[in-house]
Each structure stands twice: as structure tokens, then as C-alpha cells.
Amino acid sequence: MNRPNEGGGADPDARLEERWITLEGRIQGVGFRPFVARLAAVWGVRGWVRNDVHGVGVRALGSSSRLAAFIEALGREAPPAARIERMRVDPVPDRPGVPPLPDDGFVILPSEHGGEPPTAPTTPDLALCDECRRELLNPAERRAGYPFLNCTQCGPRYTIVESLPYDRPRTTMAEFEMCPSCRREYEDSGDRRYHAQPIACPECGPQVELQDPDGRVVARRDAGIAAAAAALRDGRVVAVKGLGGYHLVVDATSAAAVGELRRRKHREEKPLAVMFPAAGDLREWVEEDGEAWLHSAAAPIVLLRRRAGGSLAEAVAPGNPWIGAFLPYSPLHLLLLRAVGRPLVVTSGNLSEEPLCFEDGDARQRLGRIADQFLVHDRRIARPIDDSVLRPSAVGPILLRRARGYAPAPFPLPADAAAGPALLAVGGHLKNTVAVTVGAGLVLCPHVGDLGNPASLAAFRASIAWLRNLYPQRLDLVACDAHPDYASTQEARLLGLPTVPVQHHLAHVLSCLLEHGGGPSGVLGVAWDGTGYGGDGTVWGGEFISIDRGARVARRVAHLRPFRLPGGEAAVREPRRCGLALAHAVWEGDRVRLGPLARTLGFSEAETSVLLQLLDRGHHAPVTTSAGRLFDGVAALLGLGGRASFEGQVAMALEGAAAVVRGPLEPWPMPVVERADGRWEIDWRPLVEAVIEAPASADRAVLAARFHRSLATALGEVARRVGWGTVALSGGCFQNARLLEHAVQGVAAAGFSVLCHRELPPNDGGLAAGQALAVRWGITRVDAAD
């Protein structure tokens, strides 16, 4: 339908009709109410719009044709950051409390709080938009150089909101009273900051200042940013308070600065993220094009292949072919990067493995021995959030950490799980997240981290409290991992509610199905990861689980051949132990052959003797089917790393080695054999033997690439034998882009539909979502095959 002229007014001779429109989805904090008001003016519709605890309500009066056009345009022309999940059009309800129509025009009313628990999604923080960027850098604008400018399409949302519905009085911006100029913009329907809740300017908004570690002011406002930039150019470490917490920042081209940051932060080799001044600067340092994600409203860190010979310090990502790159997503970051004029390491403000600092006092206490200076501001952060991490692949993006820009956007539950007990799901022990059911959906909090220290446990508890504060409701039960020793499981039992344990790998698969609306009734789930508590008391990690929703049953139908982990958890920290264990299985404990191999792996004679005794006797050497440990062992056998200073390090090296190989490769045989108990088992011994016995002249890159191809081929063979038409891939091993690509392409070529993650991480960051779906479906354990 053609649009009428702006301000065309109502049809004077048309019969007027009235409609009550309710909308749900991500429509608070994205400029939706101003959009509705402007659209009503275009179509000559009279009425009002307001936020409520469920979303947005609209009362509209106009001719039949214009109302129809107005309603159609609501869905078709919504703001870019909006996502309408549901829209209903009804007669206006005949009940007390419904505001009357205005005498003329269309207005935005104050939000309705109501007496019901809120279900409206909380909008994630939005990266600096192009219009605000131009304004920030235009000396003629009144907000030129102001590090906290924003509009209806960008700026802080989740990190400032304290309760719903989303309005300035319920955010930390309530502490800043608008000046007359900001107030005029806020109330002007023609202004792009019309009803922008965090609106601010240099006269009335937050301010920045540079402080020393004792809190003494060094410089304020523009001078503070300039002084921080000078400190960074001089090789100093600066703690910068951003949108959702503190970053530790150094010059990414200075080996000395990066090395000193690593020493102070106790982060030996784990890669550090690099923020580049502009997308054009990336081409000097990376080979891949990730601009679609870098310039998105989420603006995550994107893993891109590093270009050889760049001037970034090698210590940014030692021995790693990828760089975690991102662009300035807030005005403060952009101003700082432009002032420094070179890429900066911008990493989480914490000690290694601790949660992100976001409160000023805590940051000064925990970062005081790391940072030389603090670039701070006086806008309070309501709750912390880390940067999201994403990597491209040939089959779509892989989200490695779901946080800023993505969380806490909700997921709709499948129709057969939309109703049920109100529950909290507490996730796993590593890469923890927690989730709560809200109406017919599920809200997952941002990345919390590993729960291995008191500070992380405190952050875990705070995340639960924040979720329950945003979405207050009476909870019926708590879903947790079946591992009794996980900190999250133990914390669940202290909440005073019934707990429902969910098998770890089942939760992985269900988290993938949640993204795909639940998938078909019958699915083969493939869950490959490092470790997870198995239903038989062993350590699982290379699992094939048949899920029959109609029968409400999940069965373990296949897995990798088991092997032992000498020393238990020590084998996770020392992948060379996994390599020795694989060789022990291949050579059936032959010490004549194992001795020289052990020396190659760096073990002394005494260490070798002890480890082989553990493997022979099965003492302190738990059985596992872990694909992650298979990756570790093969990487160690190829000489790619015997010890790991961070999770997944040598598996990343194995993928990195394979990345240079292009074209088809012949897979090694990995027989799929049927066991006496009816399960299928992938025998990796021929593959491992080929790796061990490869001549010294063999190209390690080709061997690494054949390993990936062989695993994917075996996966497809199991899919053919099980026979479900759909295969769902989940678990931390599918963070590996090469494995994922081979698996998806191979399984799809065999005629199967393939489901993989897009909006949830395949790692343990998605477990809470899978746990919640498991409880709603009533499928929480994995049975043995028939």
C-alpha cells in the first residue's frame, strides 16, 4: 500500500475503527515507542503507545484502511534492533484502567507496571551506531567528543536497567537529571533521541576522569582520555571502565607492554583480544573478512586468521594462528583508540580465571596491582557483562561466549515445553551461565565463567539474584548437572527447592534443539566435549544420543572407544598423558615400544614407570570416551603440545596446524563396531597408530587435517547406522570450525538434516538452556541402548 503524505491526517469521511494492539519481543530499549508514534503520524492514526511488563501496548483509532496499513507497517518497518515475536490485534478491552484516547494526535504514555510479573525481554547493550559516531567526531556538534552519547539505536541497555519495564527512572541513568537541551530532544518526536532513555550530554550526563591506583585524580574529561592515551603509548597498563565492567588495556604492538600485562594478570599464554581503531586497520593484521560481525549491533570479538609479518606483539596470541579482533563499540573506546592511534589489547579486567570487575571499589582493590592508571566514569553499572566472542566458519558463525550484545535476549521454548514448572537452571562448572523460564520463553544470563574460586561463585550467586530480580516469580524447582561435585550442582541444593539433575551431554544436545524450535520428534544428538559425568559413572565425552520426544526417552546408542586418563584431572593439564594412554591402548601395554615414545613425549623414566602402572592396573586412571581428550592425545603425539596452560590449548594447536591444508584428504579408517550391549563404538586405534607410525618426514599439517576428516567421516557412519533423519551437533569440540565444517558437510551429503548452534555456544555456556528444556520435556537422563 502506498504511504500517505507525512502528517496526512485521518480520512474525514471514513468510518473510524479502534484497535488494541499488543506486541511482545525485543521491543523495549530499541526506539520502538518513538517508531510507533511517528508511524501513527504518517498514517493519520490517533491513539497512544506505552511499555508494559510484557512488551508494548498500542491503542489506535483510524479508518479501516489506514489502521490496516499502520498495523502492517509495525511489523515491516520496525527499528533494526527490534525483534517482534508476537503481535495481537483485538478490540479495545472493556475494563477499568485502560487510558482513553487523546483528544488529538498520538502520544507516548508512561509505562504500565501492572501487578503481573514481568516477561518483557531485556534488550542487550547496543554498539555505537553510525549516526552517533559521525556526531561524536564532528566538532560542530554539541556532543562532539562526549564519551557517553547514545540514541534510541545504540548505547547501554542491559548494564544500566534495574527493573522492568525499561524506562529511565528504573535505570542507573536516573541519577542524572536531564538538562533543558536534552529534555527538548527527548520530547521532540522529530528528533532521533525522542524517548532515548539514556540520553545525556556534557552538561548533564556522566563524566570521565583518569585516576592513579589510589584514587587521586590525574585529569578530567577530554584531558583524562588524552592522558590515558599517552600512558598507553608509553607502555603503561590502564584499567578502563566500559559498558559492563573494567578492561585492562595495553599497546598491542609493544612486546614489553603485553608481556608485563601477562605477568601481572597471571595469564601465561591464553590469547588476548585486540581492539583496532577502524575496520580498515584490520587488513594489515588479519587475512579474513569479519566486518559483518564486527560492525553489527552486538560487535563481538571475532576470531580471524592472523596475517604473517604484522606488527602486533607475538605475545598477544603466542603460537596461535588466530587473533580475537574487535572494533570500538562505545564512544569512550573509540575516543581512546583514536587518541592512541594503534591497536590495543583490551582484555577482561580481572585476575586470570576470576570474574570481571565492574564496581569501582572492587576494581581498585583487585586491579590495583595490575593497572598503572584507571580511566573511570560515574555512570553506575547495574550488572556486569563481558565481551562476546564469535568465530566464522563455512557453515555459519560459532558463538564461543554469549555476553554483551547477545545476552540476555530470550529464547522461545518449543510449543510442547512452553508450559510447565517455573524453574531455574544453573548450568555446569565451566563457562557457567544460568537461566530462568519466563512465560513461554527462557532467559539465559550472560557468561559467568568457571566456578573454581570464591570470587566466581559469588558472581554465580549474583547472576541468579539479578535474574530473579528482573523476573520475580515463584520458582518450582532447580535444574542442575548430574555431576554431584560441580559447584553449580552443590549450590542448587542450597536454594531450598527441589532439584532435578540432567545428564551433561543430553543438556548439550537439547540446547542445540532449543535453538531450532525443538527439532523433529526423533533426533540423533552428537555431544563431543572434554568431560562430562556419564550415567554409568565413567567420564563421557564422545557421545551419540538418540532422542525420541514422543516416547520421552534418550538412549546412548554410540560413543568413541573408551580409554584411560592416567592421573585423572592431571591428564587434562598434561595432554601428553592422553597421548601415552592412546598409545598404550594401541600397543596393548607393550613397554618396549612405549618407553621410547614416552621419552619423545618428555617423560622421565620414573614418570613413565608410574604412568604405565596406572594404565596397566586402572588405578587412578578413570575410563573416558572423551573426544576432547582424543584431540589432546593426538596433538601431543604430533608434537603440538604436551602441557596446557589453558583449556583447549593443544586442541586449538591441532586445528591451527590443519588450517593451512586445503582440498580433499583420504580419511584414516575408524571402524564402527557393534558391541555386545547393542551400542556402536568408534574404534580410533587405526587412526592413532597411523599418527604414531607416520614417518618423521610426514607433514604434521596434513596429519592434523586427516585426523579431522577421519573423525567427521566416522560421525557420518554412525548417523547412517542409527537412521534418524536429523543430526544435532553440540559440545565444546564443535567450537573447532574445521571439525564442524567437515561434520556438517559430510552428514548433509549423506542425506541427513543437520542442526548446529547459531545463538548459543556449543560449549558449556549453553548447558543451562538444555537443562531447562530437559525438565520441561521430562527427558533428563540417558538410558543404555536396547
Side-chain angles (χ1 to χ4, degrees):
M1 178 180 289
N2 294 327
R3 293 165 67 93
N5 293 329
E6 189 77 32
D11 296 334
D13 299 324
R15 180 170 174 267
L16 298 182
E17 299 178 0
E18 199 171 353
R19 294 290 183 270
W20 179 263
I21 308 163
T22 54
L23 303 105
E24 297 178 21
R26 192 168 77 183
I27 48 179
Q28 295 190 9
V30 294
F32 197 81
R33 288 176 296 175
F35 154 72
V36 173
R38 292 190 188 104
L39 195 66
V42 167
W43 287 103
V45 170
R46 181 157 60 100
W48 52 254
V49 59
R50 67 179 179 186
N51 281 346
D52 58 37
V53 293
H54 303 303
V56 168
V58 180
R59 184 171 184 176
L61 177 74
S63 69
S64 175
S65 60
R66 292 199 172 188
L67 270 180
F70 168 71
I71 292 167
E72 181 189 2
L74 284 176
R76 188 183 64 248
E77 301 176 18
R83 183 183 293 180
I84 299 172
E85 300 289 350
R86 283 173 292 277
M87 179 166 66
R88 286 189 54 180
V89 181
D90 298 298
V92 175
D94 182 16
R95 68 167 188 255
V98 175
L101 289 166
D103 293 335
D104 188 32
F106 198 96
V107 298
I108 298 177
L109 294 182
S111 297
E112 180 193 28
H113 299 181
E116 301 177 50
T119 60
T122 305
T123 296
D125 298 311
L126 303 171
L128 182 69
C129 71
D130 290 341
E131 286 187 86
C132 280
R133 179 189 174 93
R134 286 192 290 270
E135 183 179 355
L136 180 73
L137 303 179
N138 183 352
E141 296 285 350
R142 76 182 187 95
R143 291 186 178 85
Y146 180 57
F148 304 100
L149 90 169
N150 61 81
C151 69
T152 59
Q153 298 306 303
C154 72
R157 299 295 190 270
Y158 171 76
T159 50
I160 62 172
V161 70
E162 298 194 284
S163 63
L164 296 172
Y166 173 74
D167 284 301
R168 189 182 182 99
R170 283 178 289 280
T171 73
T172 59
M173 283 302 296
E175 298 160 14
F176 300 90
E177 184 176 352
M178 285 185 233
C179 66
S181 296
C182 284
R183 174 63 66 182
R184 280 194 296 273
E185 292 170 324
Y186 181 86
E187 294 175 351
D188 180 0
S189 63
D191 195 281
R192 69 187 188 89
R193 292 191 171 91
Y194 181 41
H195 275 260
Q197 303 307 315
I199 188 172
C201 76
E203 299 302 317
C204 65
Q207 300 295 339
V208 67
E209 63 184 29
L210 187 68
Q211 300 176 354
D212 68 15
D214 295 321
R216 291 185 290 266
V217 176
V218 176
R220 290 189 169 91
R221 299 199 176 195
D222 294 353
I225 295 174
L232 290 166
R233 287 194 298 269
D234 288 343
R236 314 277 289 279
V237 180
V238 178
V240 178
K241 183 180 180 182
L243 272 179
Y246 279 78
H247 285 123
L248 291 168
V249 181
V250 296
D251 179 357
T253 66
S254 168
V258 176
E260 183 62 15
L261 174 62
R262 285 195 176 279
R263 186 189 69 79
R264 296 183 190 181
K265 189 176 163 69
H266 306 304
R267 184 164 172 164
E268 297 176 7
E269 297 177 296
K270 192 173 183 180
L272 299 166
V274 178
M275 185 176 281
F276 293 84
D281 301 312
L282 276 168
R283 299 186 185 98
E284 179 182 345
W285 286 285
V286 301
E287 296 179 353
E288 298 173 278
D289 178 12
E291 291 194 27
W293 296 291
L294 292 167
H295 285 295
S296 68
I301 297 168
V302 182
L303 295 193
L304 299 172
R305 189 160 185 84
R306 188 174 187 164
R307 188 181 297 279
S311 59
L312 289 181
E314 174 61 27
V316 165
N320 195 308
W322 294 283
I323 288 290
F326 60 148
L327 298 177
Y329 55 81
S330 79
L332 178 58
H333 287 104
L334 180 58
L335 293 169
L336 184 62
L337 265 289
R338 287 175 65 88
V340 176
R342 63 190 70 158
L344 298 175
V345 165
V346 179
T347 189
S348 302
N350 55 10
L351 282 169
S352 186
E353 307 307 326
E354 287 191 356
L356 181 70
C357 294
F358 75 103
E359 295 175 314
D360 298 335
D362 179 56
R364 198 167 304 285
Q365 180 180 0
R366 290 167 55 199
L367 305 181
R369 295 185 179 181
I370 303 177
D372 298 306
Q373 293 182 326
F374 286 73
L375 187 62
V376 302
H377 58 77
D378 54 350
R379 184 177 67 203
R380 185 166 52 85
I381 298 172
R383 58 188 57 79
I385 195 166
D386 221 322
D387 295 310
S388 294
V389 183
L390 175 150
R391 70 176 306 186
S393 81
V395 294
I398 307 168
L399 194 58
L400 306 182
R401 182 167 72 198
R402 184 176 183 267
R404 177 187 51 77
Y406 295 94
F411 292 89
L413 287 162
D416 57 353
L423 63 95
L424 171 74
V426 296
H429 188 77
L430 302 178
K431 298 179 176 61
N432 178 266
T433 58
V434 296
V436 64
T437 53
V438 177
L442 184 74
V443 176
L444 202 71
C445 83
H447 169 84
V448 176
D450 300 349
L451 305 183
N453 57 68
S456 296
L457 274 176
F460 166 80
R461 296 178 189 124
S463 294
I464 293 174
W466 287 322
L467 269 185
R468 297 187 73 174
N469 177 62
L470 277 177
Y471 298 103
Q473 58 181 311
R474 181 183 178 278
L475 294 174
D476 298 313
L477 51 86
V478 182
C480 60
D481 194 276
H483 198 307
D485 296 331
Y486 275 5
S488 55
T489 301
Q490 294 173 351
E491 289 287 319
R493 291 170 179 158
L494 299 176
L495 292 173
L497 293 167
T499 57
V500 180
V502 178
Q503 201 281 322
H504 185 91
H505 300 94
L506 175 62
H508 268 308
V509 174
L510 295 189
S511 71
C512 181
L513 296 183
L514 176 67
E515 288 194 52
H516 296 274
S521 60
V523 172
L524 175 64
V526 182
W528 284 4
D529 65 359
T531 56
Y533 187 74
D536 58 1
T538 63
V539 180
W540 292 6
E543 309 310 309
F544 295 80
I545 300 171
S546 171
I547 299 173
D548 186 339
R549 268 162 72 187
R552 294 288 190 263
V553 66
R555 294 186 178 89
R556 187 190 195 200
V557 293
H559 51 74
L560 294 176
R561 179 183 174 85
F563 61 99
R564 292 193 176 274
L565 297 176
E569 284 294 316
V572 178
R573 298 186 295 273
E574 289 188 48
R576 60 186 184 151
R577 293 184 181 224
C578 297
L580 184 63
L582 295 175
H584 182 274
V586 169
W587 288 336
E588 298 179 341
D590 182 351
R591 295 196 175 213
V592 173
R593 305 173 79 182
L594 288 168
L597 178 67
R599 287 193 294 274
T600 302
L601 292 170
F603 292 114
S604 67
E605 286 190 18
E607 289 172 325
T608 301
S609 176
V610 170
L611 291 172
L612 293 180
Q613 285 185 50
L614 296 180
L615 289 167
D616 289 340
R617 299 173 183 174
H619 174 68
H620 196 42
V623 171
T624 186
T625 55
S626 168
R629 300 292 79 83
L630 180 62
F631 266 86
D632 284 353
V634 169
L637 291 169
L638 287 174
L640 296 171
R643 292 182 173 87
S645 65
F646 62 90
E647 184 195 8
Q649 182 177 10
V650 299
M652 290 170 60
L654 186 63
E655 182 189 359
V660 298
V661 178
R662 296 288 184 267
L665 291 169
E666 183 69 22
W668 286 305
M670 293 184 73
V672 176
V673 297
E674 187 172 8
R675 293 163 42 113
D677 59 11
R679 294 199 297 267
W680 301 101
E681 184 175 279
I682 298 175
D683 188 352
W684 40 259
R685 288 177 299 177
L687 177 153
V688 170
E689 187 171 23
V691 169
I692 296 172
E693 298 185 355
S697 60
D699 187 340
R700 287 193 308 182
V702 172
L703 297 177
R706 287 188 72 182
F707 170 76
H708 286 79
R709 173 67 71 182
S710 302
L711 276 180
T713 301
L715 187 156
E717 179 58 28
V718 172
R720 280 188 284 272
R721 302 214 183 178
V722 174
W724 284 122
T726 300
V727 178
L729 307 177
S730 190
C733 290
F734 291 107
Q735 296 173 113
N736 180 318
R738 191 179 190 93
L739 176 67
L740 180 67
E741 289 163 5
H742 285 337
V744 169
Q745 292 162 0
V747 173
F752 296 93
S753 297
V754 187
L755 307 179
C756 51
H757 289 278
R758 289 290 177 267
E759 298 183 57
L760 281 171
N763 59 44
D764 286 6
L767 284 178
Q771 291 167 356
L773 184 57
V775 172
R776 284 288 180 92
W777 272 353
I779 309 173
T780 59
R781 66 189 184 115
V782 177
D783 299 329
D786 293 336

